[in-house]
Every structure is written in C-alpha cells, then in structure tokens.
C-alpha cells in the first residue's frame, strides 16, 4: 500500500531539514502542512523553506496563494488528497511536514462536511469584526450555538467567525455538523513526531526569533503593514510588529512578545498532538540517535 509519512512537531523543533533528508532518501516530494507558509511573501516570519531547501526537494503548498486569498483546512484536505492521488501514481511514499494541527488532522482524519459560505455573508462578518471587534460575533455565536461556544478557542477570530457563518447560512448550530468520524484513506499513514526537552525547545525558539530579526523580519512585516487586517497576517511574528508600527509598544517589547507567543504556540501544538496515540515520537536531543535512520526504521 502507498504511504504518507507525516513529520510533525512543535514550531522550532527542526522539522524542515529532517523532512528534506527523508524525502531525498525516498526520492519523493514534500507536502507542506503549514497554514501560513502557503501564502506568498510570508517567508521570514513563517520560517518558510529557503530557496536552497526548495531546490533540495520539491515542495507543494508553499508560497502558492495571495495573502488576500481565503483558504481553510477543509480546502487543504480536498486539494492535498487530490494531489496525493496523483503523486502516489509515481511515488510509493510521500512526505508531509508541518505543524498546523488542523491541516494535519484534515488529511489524516478528515474534516466534517460543512456548507460553502456565501461571500457576501463572510464579508459582512469580517466588516463587523474589523469595526467592533470579536465580542459581538462571540455573543451571536453563544446565542446560536452555546455548545460550540463552550468548546471553541474564543481568542481565535477565524474559528469563531467561521462557526457563526455556518450557523447563519444553515439555520443550524455549527456543532451539529461535527461528527468527529475518521475518514478512511486509500494509503497508509505513518505519523512521526519530533520533540525536544521544553527548555531546549524554548531556547531554540528564542534564538530563531533573533535570527528572523537579523534576516529582516521587521522590514518584511512593514511591507505587509497596509494589509494587517487580513486573516493571513493574523499570526505570530507579524501581529506583534504591527502593534509596534501602530505605536503601541517598543520594538524590543514586540520581539519579546513574538518569542513568548511562539513558545505558547509550541506548547499548544504539543498538547494537541499528545491527544493522539498513533504518533511515533523521536527526541532530537538524544545525540546518540540518528534521527533519519530512526524515522526510516519506523516507516519500513
């Protein structure tokens, strides 16, 4: 049976280079499961693969969309599964690498069917969000779907707005569409998780942010500042610098917040992944371990 090798883990753990090594050994391409690297131009802030890394292995879903394009985990599921159907005609295995939890689950488990949202409704809710903030949208969701309101991350505007979109479009609670059933795929899925001790991971994240600043993250973020309202830019590394450009904080404070929010995100990723019992974990801090060989032994 054909295979999908999923290499996942928290931000900053070291997924990119190791994924390329595995892809080169298997002579196959890589599907990126990063919900921000998919946008053009968000290079430094998302730590997207460099030109040199892209030359080492063919990557899909990197830099393919405009920052103005709407793209969901459901769309990623449809497009990634269609792509895998084609790639598996030429490759016995394909590597998928990234840390976006919903994107990974979309391919590995599937997403419940949800209706297509009317563009006018989406724009109306986005206009409301930009004008009055997330609170009135939260209140509407609470009235229409108290069950999902108690489950959703209320600090995540994208999730809250999308749930309300579905409620309004269908007249039914968003939670009524969630079955959490796992879809069967016509290929074997092997999930490899990369981890490090928390102190080491946090130190790597802090150092990576410093490197991003040196590479020109401030200038990259400034070039996108006129578009700061877009959902694609509502992400760690950009939103903190936008606060600095707004005059709300110093650059030093913004950089410290990028580090803090990146560490928080890594903790959230680990918590999400640890709910699954089918992930083979590899501790990259073990210097006696050949990580590449360990992964290959798990997928053979």
């Amino acid at each position: 049976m054909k295979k999908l090798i999923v290499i996942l883990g928290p931000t900053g753990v070291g997924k990119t280079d190791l994924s390329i090594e595995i892809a080169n050994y298997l002579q196959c391409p890589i599907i990126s499961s990063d919900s921000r690297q998919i946008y053009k131009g968000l290079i430094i802030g998302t730590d997207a693969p460099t030109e040199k890394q892209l030359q080492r292995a063919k990557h899909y879903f990197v830099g393919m969309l405009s920052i103005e394009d709407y793209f969901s985990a459901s769309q990623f599921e449809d497009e990634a599964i269609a792509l895998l159907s084609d790639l598996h005609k030429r490759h016995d295995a394909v590597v998928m690498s990234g840390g976006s939890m919903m994107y990974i689950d979309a391919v590995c488990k599937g997403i419940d069917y949800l209706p297509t949202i009317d563009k006018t409704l989406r724009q109306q809710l986005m206009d409301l969000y930009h004008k009055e903030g997330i609170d009135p949208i939260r209140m509407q969701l609470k009235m229409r779907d108290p069950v999902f309101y108690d489950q959703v991350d209320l600090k995540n505007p994208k999730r809250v707005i999308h749930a309300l979109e579905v409620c309004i479009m269908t007249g039914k609670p968003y939670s009524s569409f969630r079955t959490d059933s796992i879809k069967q795929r016509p290929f074997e899925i092997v999930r490899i998780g990369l981890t490090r001790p928390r102190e080491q991971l946090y130190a790597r994240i802090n150092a990576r942010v410093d490197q991003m600043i040196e590479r020109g993250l401030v200038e990259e973020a400034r070039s996108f500042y006129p578009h700061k309202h877009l959902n694609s830019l509502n992400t760690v590394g950009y939103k903190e610098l936008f606060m600095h450009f707004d005059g709300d904080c110093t650059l030093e404070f913004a950089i410290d917040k990028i580090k803090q929010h990146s560490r928080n995100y890594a903790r959230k990723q680990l918590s999400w992944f640890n709910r699954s019992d089918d992930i083979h974990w590899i501790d990259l801090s073990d210097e006696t371990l050949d990580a590449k060989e360990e992964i290959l032994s798990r997928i053979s």
Side-chain angles (χ1 to χ4, degrees), residues 38-41 62-71 79:
I38 198 170
Y39 293 104
K40 297 175 185 176
V62 172
M64 61 174 280
L65 296 178
S66 163
I67 57 171
E68 297 182 355
D69 290 336
Y70 175 82
F71 198 76
E79 295 191 19

Side-chain angles (χ1 to χ4, degrees), residues 41-212:
L42 306 187
I43 299 172
I44 301 173
T46 66
D47 201 28
T50 64
E51 286 298 324
K52 185 176 180 180
Q53 289 171 325
L54 292 173
Q55 290 172 3
R56 290 175 59 198
K58 171 67 176 177
H59 283 69
Y60 293 92
F61 295 100
V62 172
M64 61 174 280
L65 296 178
S66 163
I67 57 171
E68 297 182 355
D69 290 336
Y70 175 82
F71 198 76
S72 67
S74 179
Q75 288 171 282
F76 180 71
E77 175 188 7
D78 292 342
E79 295 191 19
I81 293 299
L83 176 61
L84 281 166
S85 178
D86 180 60
L87 293 177
H88 276 148
K89 295 175 183 176
R90 305 187 297 278
H91 305 280
D92 289 334
V94 175
V95 171
M96 185 168 79
S97 175
S100 294
M101 299 87 79
M102 287 292 291
Y103 275 34
I104 294 170
D105 278 0
V107 171
C108 295
K109 301 179 180 179
I111 289 180
D112 296 327
Y113 167 77
L114 293 173
T116 302
I117 303 301
D118 177 75
K119 291 183 179 180
T120 301
L121 172 61
R122 171 162 290 142
Q123 190 59 52
Q124 289 173 345
L125 290 180
M126 290 304 297
D127 289 344
L128 175 62
Y129 169 58
H130 294 311
K131 183 179 179 180
E132 301 184 29
I134 194 63
D135 284 342
I137 296 174
R138 286 175 181 159
M139 291 303 97
Q140 287 193 54
L141 179 62
K142 186 175 184 179
M143 288 188 295
R144 292 173 178 269
D145 190 351
V147 173
F148 188 68
Y149 179 87
D150 289 338
Q151 299 172 346
V152 69
D153 177 1
L154 293 172
K155 295 180 180 179
N156 188 323
K158 183 177 180 180
R159 299 269 174 82
V160 175
I161 292 171
H162 184 56
L164 181 58
E165 288 173 345
V166 173
C167 291
I168 295 174
M169 277 288 297
T170 65
K172 299 178 181 179
Y174 176 77
S175 56
S176 68
F177 292 90
R178 291 160 53 98
T179 64
D180 294 326
S181 59
I182 297 178
K183 296 179 183 177
Q184 297 300 309
R185 302 302 191 193
F187 47 81
E188 179 185 356
I189 299 174
V190 181
R191 301 211 291 174
I192 305 294
L194 306 181
T195 187
R196 295 177 186 272
R198 183 158 296 187
E199 297 76 13
Q200 185 183 111
L201 178 63
Y202 286 178
R204 286 175 58 91
I205 289 172
N206 292 340
R208 189 177 72 163
V209 173
D210 288 334
Q211 292 167 2
M212 288 177 173

